[in-house]
Amino acid sequence: MREEIIVVTWGGIGDLMLCTPALKALKEENPHSRIIVYYQHFHPGHKQVLLNNPHIDSLRELHVTSMWRHPRHLFVYLFKRKKWIKDRKYYHMYLNHVPATWIYEKNYKEVAADVFDVKLSGDRKIQLFFTAAEEQQARERIRHFKNVVFIHTYSKCSVNHLWDIKKWNRLVKELPELTFIQIGMPNEPTVEGAIDWRSKLSLRETLCQLKYATSFVGVESSFAHATNAFNLPGVVLFGDTSPQHWGHENNINIYKGVACSPCFHYLWGRSCPLGNDCMKLIEVEEVKEALIRQVSISSAGFRQEAPAAELMGKLHL
């Protein structure tokens, strides 16, 4: 029987996406092993992110009923900290135990690779995979729109990620040549002038839809991370988190770097006691200018050739 490597997911959807390059490297370094990933039953979004991933041999729900059918896996899961099972390969995607002083020095993808004890290959993109039918549906939904920019304004993990809704409204109003489509949850603030798809698509459908957009603009969140899977040129706003840790080279990452930031792992979701200047200092004009640049890159057909940062000098905007 082939060696089994057991992986258990944890954390938010964005966290999981950032672990997918490490999963790919794990399979590449262990090509003859069977990679079995258990996703938490209270995190159904994890399944939608990992479906059809060719680097996973078996994707299963982590639940009492499923674990009892595989007693060896249950044993490893329950006693993973015991010395007498150290020879069995088990990985838990729980990365929050890593010291904040460490993770602020490197990208989250690299932190995940360290936890998995693997080396990332040249291709470090987020790994998302869809069926031909899913991609066809995505193309059909979007084919009647031009210059589509998906906009995502909310992050439930921290109130300090948020940008003033009045600024979002102004951004959309001042770029009438672009078709803004708002994605996210129905209870998030509505952006005036944007087409509302928040309640029309599942998470997986939304992720696939990003592949066929012209650009993206939003706060640092799971959808901002998903853009990396498709080299989608986007604009991402950072406040209490750092682009060095959470950013991607395909995006223009706007970050003010005020003296007290990044503070996400210190405040841990609590409101900023200093007035949230890291987000307030971001102006509509700079977001607008960055978005115009990214739309130009995508429209010029450079999207699949190189990251946006490498192409800035080639365009006269």
Side-chain angles (χ1 to χ4, degrees), residues 111-165:
V111 174
D114 289 340
V115 171
F116 278 63
D117 194 26
V118 295
K119 293 184 178 180
L120 296 181
S121 61
D123 179 10
R124 300 187 174 198
K125 295 199 304 292
I126 300 295
Q127 302 287 298
L128 297 174
F129 301 91
F130 304 95
T131 65
E134 286 175 317
E135 297 210 14
Q136 178 61 31
Q137 289 175 349
R139 287 192 293 268
E140 283 297 315
R141 289 190 199 99
I142 209 171
R143 68 187 182 91
H144 296 297
F145 302 105
K146 292 183 179 180
N147 298 323
V148 172
V149 176
F150 282 103
I151 182 170
H152 186 230
T153 67
Y154 192 82
S155 172
K156 67 179 181 181
C157 70
S158 173
V159 294
N160 303 315
H161 278 30
L162 308 184
W163 200 42
D164 191 338
I165 188 64

Side-chain angles (χ1 to χ4, degrees), residues 3 26 36 45 87 114 131 148 169 238:
E3 176 191 37
L26 184 66
I36 301 171
D87 58 323
D114 289 340
T131 65
V148 172
N169 293 340
F238 286 82

Side-chain angles (χ1 to χ4, degrees), residues 46-89:
H46 285 192
K47 180 180 180 180
Q48 296 188 56
V49 168
L50 296 175
L51 274 175
N52 299 320
N53 190 315
H55 313 302
I56 299 173
D57 295 290
S58 181
L59 180 61
R60 304 171 181 175
E61 182 182 21
L62 178 61
H63 196 271
V64 174
T65 55
S66 61
M67 273 294 196
W68 277 118
R69 295 205 307 269
H70 305 280
R72 290 173 61 251
H73 300 172
L74 178 61
F75 178 82
V76 173
Y77 176 67
L78 293 177
F79 301 103
K80 52 185 174 289
R81 293 183 178 85
K82 300 294 183 181
K83 292 182 179 179
W84 29 275
I85 66 161
K86 63 181 180 180
D87 58 323
R88 300 190 183 182
K89 289 190 176 181

